[in-house]
Amino acid sequence: MTRRERRAPTAGAPSRLAASALVGVSLAALLASGAVAQDATRPRTDAAAQAAPNAAEGEPTGSVDAAAPAADATSAAPAGEAAAAADPALVVQPAVPAPATPAALSPSASDPVGAAVTLLLATDGAGASLKMTAADRAALTAFYAARAGQPVWIDGDAFNAMADAARARIAAADDDGLDASRFALPTAPATTEATELARTELRLSAAALAYARQAWSGRTNPAAISRNVEVGTPAFDAAAALAAIAASTDVAATLDGFNPPQPQFQALRKLLKEARAEQAEAAHAPVIPEGKLIKPGDQDPRVPQLRARLGLDARDGDTTYDDALAQKVTAFQKANKLGASGLVNRQTLRAMNAGRKLDRTAQLLVNMERWRWMPRELGAKHVFVDLTAFKLAIMEDGRETYGTRVIIGKSTNQTPMLSSEIDRLVVNPYWNVPVSIAMNEMAGSALRGFEVVDSKGRVVPPSQVDWAHIRESKLRIRQPPGERNALGHIKFMFPNRHAVYLHDTPSRKLFANDFRALSHGCVRVDKPMEFADALSGDQGLPGSKLKSMIGGKERGLPLSTKIPVHLAYFTAVAGEDGALETRPDLYGMDARVRAALAGEALPALPAEPVIARAPKPKPATRQASAAPAQPVPPEVAPQRQPNTFSSWLSRTFGDSR
């Protein structure tokens, strides 16, 4: 990612006051901090580094009087906390009665609340029992130490205007796809006693920090949802967040700025609010009687009920099914997959009367949570692969400049959700067969059209390979460049631990299918040379030049400027008209996210497949003649079906690989 693209995550949304506030203070510090100097697009593969707070804990976060979390609670801490939590100096022990207050630490007459804050955080009393992770508690302690305990929220013996704004913003967390009940907001001080005022101060700081963390990182642990989710959000920095909140001139906007700035997230937030309002109305709405079909221009006594059901103003005595109502009906039909005809038929009326069954709020919450796993800065120019829509788009300054169809992984070979950077193109690529998968399938097959390469890079005849004893690390199986190559004429490479990439394919017919989850995990591009032209033409690698290279040797062509690429998985999106569009949950992940958001324990992920490896040769075999290994005698060779390798290729990759 370029230096320009590594700026504060909200810099791409200048229209939002929250983003501006956050850019100015919070996230400039956050990305400058050594603790989070992590590229927004760098995959984080360690489970602890991908973890996020889970909503399953019993007490609201930010509670001061709750018992301190167990020492192992930090195992599910968000990225950036694991190292801090592992430091014994930061692991909070169970709260013990506070010792007698030394006279030197007694609240001073000039700033009694500040002195009381310092005292609470310096002892094992309420300061140590804040319901926070060890890293957040350490950041809070350091924050107040740096300001000598000076309060942020208390002026004299009452909340200041900043506190009122923060409390109102956090209380509205439900609208952000969070759970407002999870934040222990303090009530206005009812006493002038310094220690109680200090407790209230710390309660609000803890709640604000908890909100900021969840708005930034989400409520779930993506690593527990699926192994195919890579978090692109930079690690949350509690110290920078506290500094930004305290320095803010508009604390509500600053807190809001921790939420994703992307237009799709903002649209889903609006749809969530509308969906909840519709559900509330539907719970009390009268049943609309079924009857004859209602067409635009018709007069029907059910029109006033339709207008009320769809949020239009009532008109006394007006029973005309006009254009405004027809547009509302069409939007309702589109959102509920009913066929957007604008005609009020029996199916539409039944859907309206069964509004509770069509509640989309859970699906909206799931997809808003996924946006918190995406990088805050997608890149001025980036590639966005919308997996559930089977589409790839090049986006420039928020506008789609190129789009094409793609084929993605099957449910058994899922394309991962990740963010990286396309750093090179490869023309006339070899296709290297995953040996760890193919070892058990290939012995005895002809490997027609493929090459076997030994550890020294030499192409060897398959008949000279001792398939019963060879180690997978000692050979490679590859398909040479050419018309039949499974990767076609070009592939687009970006670093990731899943070894997936974008590529051409020799078979074009499957792109005509509506359902295109058919590959082994990589993403096949329908018109790769057109895509290459739009992607890298401005870097001297247009499609025409790349096409002229076809037919020669494999050539790797690095990009002078890396281009961010995002493989995204969303089952609810806002359409161009702002209406909700839903997609099938191809990989069955929504249910796990919903369960995690509800605080339910998730079933363990299935064990990763174990690849059987060939046994090591016995010493006698190693001391045998140095002559090339002979094929395994028929009587001891594994029994295989004819054309096993070809069958495996077909099962794994389909006709078009």
Side-chain angles (χ1 to χ4, degrees), residues 13 21 65 73-74 78 145 171 243 247-248 315 341 360 389 402 411 431 469 484 589 631 653:
D65 296 321
T74 55
S248 176
R315 297 174 181 171
S341 65
R360 299 292 190 186
Y402 178 79
S411 60
W431 177 48
H469 300 115
R484 295 178 59 84
M589 288 197 289
F653 295 95

Side-chain angles (χ1 to χ4, degrees), residues 218-385:
R219 294 192 278 152
T220 62
N221 176 0
I225 304 299
S226 171
R227 292 188 181 92
N228 292 312
V229 175
E230 297 284 349
V231 176
T233 311
F236 180 76
D237 187 322
L242 286 167
I245 291 168
S248 176
T249 57
D250 186 343
V251 71
T254 298
L255 288 169
D256 181 55
F258 286 96
N259 289 291
Q262 284 84 3
Q264 267 293 321
F265 177 86
Q266 302 302 323
L268 291 180
R269 179 156 63 175
K270 180 181 178 182
L271 287 169
L272 176 66
K273 198 169 183 179
E274 292 174 356
R276 283 177 168 157
E278 288 173 2
Q279 288 302 304
E281 290 178 10
H284 304 287
V287 174
I288 304 174
E290 293 185 14
K292 67 176 184 178
L293 181 72
I294 307 176
K295 303 185 296 295
D298 285 355
Q299 300 286 330
D300 194 284
R302 293 168 292 175
V303 164
Q305 291 171 298
L306 284 169
R307 295 183 66 85
R309 175 65 179 80
L310 296 174
L312 292 175
D313 293 336
R315 297 174 181 171
D316 292 341
D318 187 353
T319 61
T320 303
Y321 184 49
D322 58 17
D323 290 342
L325 181 53
Q327 290 176 6
K328 284 285 188 177
V329 168
T330 300
F332 177 86
Q333 291 171 329
K334 185 176 181 180
N336 292 281
K337 307 294 185 184
L338 298 175
S341 65
L343 304 177
V344 183
N345 51 27
R346 183 177 301 175
Q347 187 182 26
T348 300
L349 289 173
R350 287 178 178 176
M352 289 183 179
N353 290 332
R356 295 180 186 178
K357 297 180 182 179
L358 298 170
D359 187 1
R360 299 292 190 186
T361 55
Q363 193 173 14
L364 289 165
L365 291 172
V366 164
N367 286 273
M368 292 173 73
E369 179 77 358
R370 285 198 185 106
W371 272 109
R372 302 186 197 280
W373 305 342
M374 296 287 290
R376 288 305 193 264
E377 180 73 16
L378 299 181
K381 178 178 181 178
H382 66 269
V383 176
F384 194 90
V385 182

Side-chain angles (χ1 to χ4, degrees), residues 18-97:
S20 301
L22 201 55
V23 169
V25 185
S26 173
L27 300 180
L30 187 125
L31 292 181
S33 168
V36 294
Q38 174 186 4
D39 192 311
T41 63
R42 184 180 304 164
R44 291 188 286 169
T45 62
D46 184 83
Q50 294 190 46
N54 195 295
E57 301 187 28
E59 296 279 348
T61 52
S63 172
V64 174
D65 296 321
D72 63 355
T74 55
S75 64
E81 288 185 8
D87 185 344
L90 297 181
V91 176
V92 176
Q93 302 301 320
V96 297

Side-chain angles (χ1 to χ4, degrees), residues 267-515:
L268 291 180
R269 179 156 63 175
K270 180 181 178 182
L271 287 169
L272 176 66
K273 198 169 183 179
E274 292 174 356
R276 283 177 168 157
E278 288 173 2
Q279 288 302 304
E281 290 178 10
H284 304 287
V287 174
I288 304 174
E290 293 185 14
K292 67 176 184 178
L293 181 72
I294 307 176
K295 303 185 296 295
D298 285 355
Q299 300 286 330
D300 194 284
R302 293 168 292 175
V303 164
Q305 291 171 298
L306 284 169
R307 295 183 66 85
R309 175 65 179 80
L310 296 174
L312 292 175
D313 293 336
R315 297 174 181 171
D316 292 341
D318 187 353
T319 61
T320 303
Y321 184 49
D322 58 17
D323 290 342
L325 181 53
Q327 290 176 6
K328 284 285 188 177
V329 168
T330 300
F332 177 86
Q333 291 171 329
K334 185 176 181 180
N336 292 281
K337 307 294 185 184
L338 298 175
S341 65
L343 304 177
V344 183
N345 51 27
R346 183 177 301 175
Q347 187 182 26
T348 300
L349 289 173
R350 287 178 178 176
M352 289 183 179
N353 290 332
R356 295 180 186 178
K357 297 180 182 179
L358 298 170
D359 187 1
R360 299 292 190 186
T361 55
Q363 193 173 14
L364 289 165
L365 291 172
V366 164
N367 286 273
M368 292 173 73
E369 179 77 358
R370 285 198 185 106
W371 272 109
R372 302 186 197 280
W373 305 342
M374 296 287 290
R376 288 305 193 264
E377 180 73 16
L378 299 181
K381 178 178 181 178
H382 66 269
V383 176
F384 194 90
V385 182
D386 190 342
L387 297 176
T388 58
F390 308 115
K391 180 183 176 182
L392 172 154
I394 295 178
M395 305 295 296
E396 298 189 55
D397 297 321
R399 182 175 60 89
E400 180 179 325
T401 58
Y402 178 79
T404 190
R405 295 184 169 199
V406 296
I407 292 171
I408 68 168
K410 299 176 289 188
S411 60
T412 52
N413 301 103
Q414 299 175 10
T415 300
M417 176 180 173
L418 61 81
S419 293
S420 185
E421 292 176 321
I422 298 175
D423 57 6
R424 61 193 171 98
L425 315 182
V426 179
V427 181
N428 304 313
Y430 278 94
W431 177 48
N432 292 290
V433 180
V435 177
S436 60
I437 298 175
M439 279 292 292
N440 296 330
E441 304 267 359
M442 66 183 64
S445 66
L447 287 176
R448 181 178 301 170
F450 289 78
E451 297 175 347
V452 179
V453 184
D454 67 14
S455 59
K456 296 182 180 180
R458 299 172 300 189
V459 177
V460 297
S463 62
Q464 294 186 9
V465 177
D466 186 354
W467 294 103
H469 300 115
I470 190 69
R471 289 189 183 183
E472 62 189 57
S473 60
K474 297 298 183 182
L475 59 78
R476 287 182 294 126
I477 299 171
R478 69 186 186 186
Q479 186 182 33
E483 291 297 327
R484 295 178 59 84
N485 186 280
L487 304 185
H489 297 302
I490 188 171
K491 62 180 179 178
F492 306 82
M493 303 298 291
F494 44 91
N496 66 91
R497 72 181 180 93
H498 302 271
V500 298
Y501 41 86
L502 311 178
H503 67 87
D504 183 15
T505 177
S507 277
R508 321 302 311 171
K509 60 182 180 181
L510 294 180
F511 287 106
N513 295 355
D514 290 332
F515 181 83

Side-chain angles (χ1 to χ4, degrees), residues 24-172:
V25 185
S26 173
L27 300 180
L30 187 125
L31 292 181
S33 168
V36 294
Q38 174 186 4
D39 192 311
T41 63
R42 184 180 304 164
R44 291 188 286 169
T45 62
D46 184 83
Q50 294 190 46
N54 195 295
E57 301 187 28
E59 296 279 348
T61 52
S63 172
V64 174
D65 296 321
D72 63 355
T74 55
S75 64
E81 288 185 8
D87 185 344
L90 297 181
V91 176
V92 176
Q93 302 301 320
V96 297
T101 304
L105 293 177
S106 298
S108 66
S110 59
D111 186 12
V113 177
V117 167
T118 300
L119 180 61
L120 282 172
L121 292 173
T123 65
D124 290 330
S129 64
L130 286 166
K131 185 174 175 54
M132 309 170 74
T133 62
D136 278 4
R137 191 178 297 106
L140 190 69
T141 301
F143 169 75
Y144 278 103
R147 52 191 294 124
Q150 179 185 0
V152 175
W153 315 107
I154 301 291
D155 284 347
D157 57 4
F159 276 146
N160 55 28
M162 186 174 175
D164 292 336
R167 290 167 66 238
R169 185 64 192 81
I170 297 169

